[in-house]
Amino acid sequence: RIGEGKRLLVIDAHLDIREPGVLEKWETDPYSGLIDRDFVHGRGSVNQKAGAASFVTAGRILKEVGFDRGLTIFFTGTVMQEACDGLSWKYIIENDHIKPDVVLLTKPTNLKVNRGQRGRIELSVTFRGGLPEGENSGVGVNAVYLASRACLYLEKLDKSCFVDPFLGKGSALVSEFISLSPSMQSVPNYAKIHVDRRLTWGETRESAIAEIETMLQSAPAQVEILKYKSKSYTGLSAGMCKYYPAWKMPANHPVVISAVNCFDDLFGSLPELGKWDVSSSGAIINGFYGIPCIGFGPGDEYLAYTPYEHVPVDHLEKAAAFYALFALRV
């Protein structure tokens, strides 16, 4: 924390990372933090330790220049983001009763100013079938057939989802199919599919569920939003529905303009205004709570989760300078 003002700026990095995967695919030790040819290598170097390293440096810069604005800055290292986007921020806002005026996410943007992302919702659709009570023939409702028709419907839906000029196209993916039957000679009485529905601007939880319920009509099926609940490393148990709204900040919003001007003053050119293809806590911060939120982070998001993950040292330096100047100007 820096400052004592009534208005609150938060600069955030999530500190949890994915597992390194197959170690043989890495050219360097994924946990080495090796600095080689002006790059820092390793798991989490891009997503998302680089942003945290840069904001620590920004905090030192602000101390050295004598930060004296009527503003409080929190530098937050949040957790559980990889498993449930923005869960930590839902808890901070609802349980700690901390609601910032502005949030700057340091998730990797390749030094672009990001102002939005598509949302998503995770759904399960459960189908019930089997034979009528007391019937031994092969006539009955086949739950696998019902679920298969739903999969074909979702394949068509994926191609016809709405397109937003900035955020892009929504999508629908069936990522899991489970079925059960009393025996291999019986009509399947249970099937379930997992649907990953990416939501562009104008698509919501209600519209995504309504699409599937319309398709189901009178079929014996149930649509449910999946829930996440787990314990953090502190032992605290927290959870939420797996619905993450699409969000975007207008290009002419004062916070976006402030970020553009900071970049121009530091580096002598206008930044690219972009969006994330990966998920971020902005879905909760801005999508749920309407808090002005932008992203600016070192590293290329497309290197995240790969065995080639690395971040340029000069990105770390530029991000630290940007965070410090943004805090002075916003």
Side-chain angles (χ1 to χ4, degrees), residues 251-265:
N252 62 353
H253 190 283
V255 171
V256 177
I257 292 172
S258 181
V260 169
N261 290 339
C262 286
F263 188 98
D264 189 18
D265 289 345

Side-chain angles (χ1 to χ4, degrees), residues 5-316:
K6 291 183 179 180
R7 295 181 67 78
L8 176 62
L9 164 67
V10 171
I11 303 179
D12 176 85
H14 75 80
L15 299 186
D16 54 319
I17 59 172
R18 296 274 181 93
E19 295 293 328
V22 181
L23 295 179
E24 290 74 17
K25 293 187 177 181
W26 286 83
E27 295 181 359
T28 61
D29 179 349
Y31 296 123
S32 68
L34 175 68
I35 301 176
D36 177 45
R37 298 190 304 275
D38 299 320
F39 295 96
V40 183
H41 298 262
R43 172 57 83 232
S45 57
V46 169
N47 192 26
Q48 219 259 275
K49 306 293 177 110
S54 293
F55 79 43
V56 168
T57 305
R60 176 170 178 165
I61 292 169
L62 289 169
K63 285 289 189 180
E64 290 180 347
V65 301
F67 180 79
D68 61 355
R69 287 200 53 196
L71 178 72
T72 297
I73 311 168
F74 285 171
F75 300 85
T76 54
T78 47
V79 294
M80 300 174 82
Q81 197 273 342
E82 291 287 3
C84 190
D85 314 322
L87 172 58
S88 56
W89 271 103
K90 184 176 187 294
Y91 189 91
I92 288 168
I93 292 168
E94 294 185 359
N95 295 78
D96 293 333
H97 307 294
I98 296 170
K99 190 172 183 181
D101 295 284
V102 179
V103 176
L104 170 56
L105 299 176
T106 66
K107 199 172 179 71
T109 68
N110 219 13
L111 300 184
K112 298 182 295 184
V113 174
N114 278 8
R115 59 181 187 92
Q117 69 179 82
R118 291 186 307 170
R120 66 187 179 93
I121 186 170
E122 292 187 43
L123 301 168
S124 70
V125 188
T126 304
F127 300 84
R128 305 288 179 179
L131 295 172
E133 187 175 350
E135 190 171 326
N136 295 316
S137 70
V139 179
V141 177
N142 190 316
V144 168
Y145 292 167
L146 294 175
S148 298
R149 293 188 192 104
C151 291
L152 294 174
Y153 169 85
L154 288 162
E155 182 182 28
K156 292 180 180 179
L157 175 65
D158 178 67
K159 297 175 182 177
S160 61
C161 288
F162 183 70
V163 180
D164 178 75
F166 175 61
L167 294 184
K169 178 181 171 295
S171 65
L173 171 69
V174 177
S175 55
E176 186 176 57
F177 190 119
I178 300 170
S179 67
L180 296 173
S181 179
S183 74
M184 291 300 98
Q185 292 78 41
S186 302
V187 177
N189 58 3
Y190 174 90
K192 182 169 75 171
I193 59 175
H194 181 281
V195 181
D196 181 272
R197 180 73 166 86
R198 301 292 165 135
L199 305 169
T200 194
W201 192 251
E203 295 180 321
T204 64
R205 166 175 46 195
E206 292 76 19
S207 67
I209 293 173
E211 288 169 340
I212 296 177
E213 288 180 338
T214 299
M215 172 271 299
L216 294 173
Q217 295 178 352
S218 59
Q222 179 182 9
V223 183
E224 183 180 7
I225 303 176
L226 295 177
K227 296 178 175 64
Y228 176 85
K229 188 168 186 178
S230 187
K231 287 186 178 180
S232 82
Y233 74 102
T234 64
L236 175 71
S237 182
M240 59 180 277
C241 289
K242 301 182 84 170
Y243 168 57
Y244 316 94
W247 66 280
K248 61 179 177 180
M249 293 279 290
N252 62 353
H253 190 283
V255 171
V256 177
I257 292 172
S258 181
V260 169
N261 290 339
C262 286
F263 188 98
D264 189 18
D265 289 345
L266 284 169
F267 310 121
S269 62
L270 296 177
E272 180 181 346
L273 293 180
K275 63 183 186 300
W276 281 293
D277 287 328
V278 298
S279 297
S280 81
S281 296
I284 301 301
I285 295 166
N286 184 271
F288 261 120
Y289 297 107
I291 298 168
C293 179
I294 60 165
F296 185 88
D300 185 341
E301 68 175 282
Y302 299 107
L303 292 175
Y305 316 130
T306 75
Y308 319 107
E309 192 172 356
H310 63 275
V311 61
V313 171
D314 78 308
H315 275 214
L316 302 175

